[in-house]
Amino acid sequence: MTKIALITGATSGIGKATAFALAKNNISLILCGRNTEVLKELEIELSKQVAVTTLNFDVRDKTEVFKKIEGLPETFKNIDVLVNNAGNAHGLDPIQDGNLEDWDSMIDINVKGLLYVSKAIIPGMIERKSGHIINIGSTAGKEVYPNGNVYCASKFAVDALNQGMRMDLNKTGIKVGAVNPGLTQTAFSKVRFKGNEEKAEKVYQGFEALQPEDIADIISFVVSRPYHVNIADLTVMPSAQASSTILNKNKDS
Ligand code: 8X3
């Protein structure tokens, strides 16, 4: 039977690439995001391959999250795969200079948003005694780096929730795992640096960064494992990266 996957943050970066990768594997899609225009474009494009519906919400808005997920058409209600991908970094400041709004955004999107969406979907998975939750963490959730403070904390929380969910759902038939990307060239740094393209581009200069498609490929592999195989925790870095702080960049970049 055709699987159904719900992807948060599906309008860009890893989320968008994952939508294309899963469609290639004939998985029906529920694409969630804040940008209605891009959602519409993706729906038109991807419905050439698979059944697609879109949900327009901000993961921070718990009322909307529950309303939109509960309102899914019958044919999309039995979600097999949840890809908790929505997440952002806001700012790269030492803790003493941190901006309260940036902190709120990161905790609200990366941690609370992931919790709301999961809470809305888990009961149906429990009822059906099957489901697969893939949490998109980060190398920043494995190892703190200078000025990463709250972003790292939010991704450490994702790591903790990934482990906690797997334990609590162990008897329910739902499998839970995380994919933790390192330096991946998306709009991530542009958002982190509030639109400063120059600063953002520099992050990925002088080495070959991961592309969203590299991670989408891996998510697609994770999804396609037989049911008894759970990829519980997977960290992926560009070959030039050894840790959150060790990166082999060309001297002159
Ligand atoms: C993205 C990885 O190192 O830019 O989560 O924080 S990093």
Side-chain angles (χ1 to χ4, degrees):
M1 233 182 56
T2 316
K3 278 187 190 168
I4 300 174
L6 182 145
I7 305 170
T8 64
T11 55
S12 66
I14 293 171
K16 183 172 161 186
T18 301
F20 280 87
L22 296 188
K24 234 195 211 164
N25 285 353
N26 204 30
I27 294 176
S28 302
L29 298 169
I30 304 165
L31 305 176
C32 309
R34 286 177 293 176
N35 187 329
T36 31
E37 237 167 77
V38 178
L39 282 175
K40 196 82 241 152
E41 282 165 24
L42 287 173
E43 184 173 2
I44 293 168
E45 179 65 28
L46 288 162
S47 10
K48 291 176 195 153
Q49 299 175 60
V50 289
V52 181
T53 193
T54 62
L55 297 180
N56 175 227
F57 61 74
D58 184 332
V59 293
R60 285 176 283 199
D61 185 339
K62 55 179 171 244
T63 312
E64 279 290 289
V65 167
F66 285 94
K67 197 173 107 191
K68 294 281 166 71
I69 291 173
E70 274 158 23
L72 274 168
E74 279 307 317
T75 46
F76 283 96
K77 272 200 192 308
N78 296 346
I79 299 165
D80 300 288
V81 180
L82 162 60
V83 184
N84 270 325
N85 164 71
N88 273 331
H90 295 262
L92 186 66
D93 303 308
I95 196 82
Q96 61 273 29
D97 300 334
N99 174 299
L100 291 184
E101 273 165 29
D102 286 347
W103 292 358
D104 281 343
S105 297
M106 290 187 279
I107 302 291
D108 289 350
I109 299 170
N110 304 358
V111 185
K112 289 162 73 181
L114 178 146
L115 283 169
Y116 299 154
V117 174
S118 304
K119 176 90 172 148
I121 291 172
I122 287 170
M125 288 181 166
I126 291 180
E127 228 169 81
R128 295 186 296 279
K129 299 187 176 60
S130 110
H132 189 177
I133 301 174
I134 300 166
N135 295 308
I136 307 303
S138 169
T139 45
K142 299 288 182 184
E143 189 194 2
V144 179
Y145 52 84
N147 302 333
N149 47 67
V150 178
Y151 176 67
C152 294
S154 76
K155 289 297 186 176
F156 267 70
V158 173
D159 191 34
L161 289 171
N162 182 58
Q163 296 178 50
M165 278 185 190
R166 192 165 55 246
M167 290 171 188
D168 297 348
L169 297 174
N170 175 253
K171 286 195 162 52
T172 67
I174 302 171
K175 56 183 187 177
V176 181
V179 174
N180 307 293
L183 285 155
T184 311
Q185 195 163 10
T186 61
F188 177 85
S189 289
K190 197 171 155 199
V191 174
R192 166 170 265 177
F193 297 124
K194 301 163 196 219
N196 186 329
E197 306 250 8
E198 207 183 318
K199 253 181 158 176
E201 272 169 28
K202 258 202 139 143
V203 175
Y204 308 108
Q205 270 165 13
F207 73 105
E208 193 171 349
L210 293 172
Q211 298 302 310
E213 291 73 21
D214 296 322
I215 303 300
D217 232 17
I218 287 160
I219 295 170
S220 172
F221 176 79
V222 168
V223 170
S224 63
R225 291 312 82 207
Y227 208 74
H228 70 286
V229 179
N230 182 30
I231 305 209
D233 194 25
L234 191 153
T235 297
V236 199
M237 295 182 206
S239 303
Q241 184 178 10
S243 75
S244 281
T245 50
I246 301 175
L247 182 63
N248 184 16
K249 276 206 184 204
N250 297 341
K251 284 195 297 300
D252 33 309
S253 58

